[in-house]
Amino acid sequence: MIEAIIPLYLCFFALCVFVIYQQTTLTRQIQEIGSQIEGRLNEPIQVPTSFMGELKENLEDLVHDTISTMQPPNAADHVMGAIAQMIQMRAMKQYGNFLPNQPDQEDTSD
């Protein structure tokens, strides 16, 4: 019986040694890559001033175009909003009101 168990223990020991060796190798590689990344992050980033000026101009143009195309709501917008509210009220009555205080029910806790 011992002759069968000893090779199993030796294989298990060899497997543990292999896993620990691979783990230390992987840890060392991760630390090296991390230090390289950290070194690159500490380098100053050179951004040309023309790029920043162009970015600012493009952003200003985008905001100006967005604001210039905005229109005040007209009567059709108000009508559609009222219809949407009526549909929402009907759905709340049909499927149950999820609000804590329902205005159409009386409070009978007195």
Side-chain angles (χ1 to χ4, degrees):
M1 183 73 177
I2 292 178
E3 296 85 19
I5 295 176
I6 290 177
L8 291 175
Y9 280 134
L10 290 175
C11 289
F12 180 73
F13 179 73
L15 180 66
C16 289
V17 169
F18 176 75
V19 168
I20 291 172
Y21 175 74
Q22 291 296 323
Q23 185 264 337
T24 55
T25 304
L26 184 62
T27 302
R28 190 176 323 116
Q29 289 175 353
I30 290 174
Q31 288 174 347
E32 288 174 4
I33 291 171
S35 64
Q36 289 174 359
I37 291 172
E38 186 177 341
R40 289 183 184 172
L41 289 177
N42 290 334
E43 294 176 3
I45 298 174
Q46 301 295 330
V47 178
T49 56
S50 63
F51 173 76
M52 294 303 290
E54 183 179 336
L55 182 65
K56 182 179 177 182
E57 289 174 8
N58 288 339
L59 188 60
E60 286 176 351
D61 291 340
L62 178 68
V63 170
H64 179 68
D65 291 342
T66 303
I67 291 175
S68 66
T69 58
M70 293 178 73
Q71 299 176 3
N74 54 22
D77 294 331
H78 289 288
V79 169
M80 294 302 287
I83 291 172
Q85 187 174 8
M86 285 186 235
I87 292 171
Q88 182 182 12
M89 288 171 45
R90 180 180 292 166
M92 292 295 277
K93 284 183 182 178
Q94 184 177 0
Y95 298 113
N97 193 351
F98 299 109
L99 298 175
N101 297 327
Q102 298 178 3
D104 56 336
Q105 294 181 353
E106 294 181 16
D107 189 13
T108 59
S109 62
D110 293 337

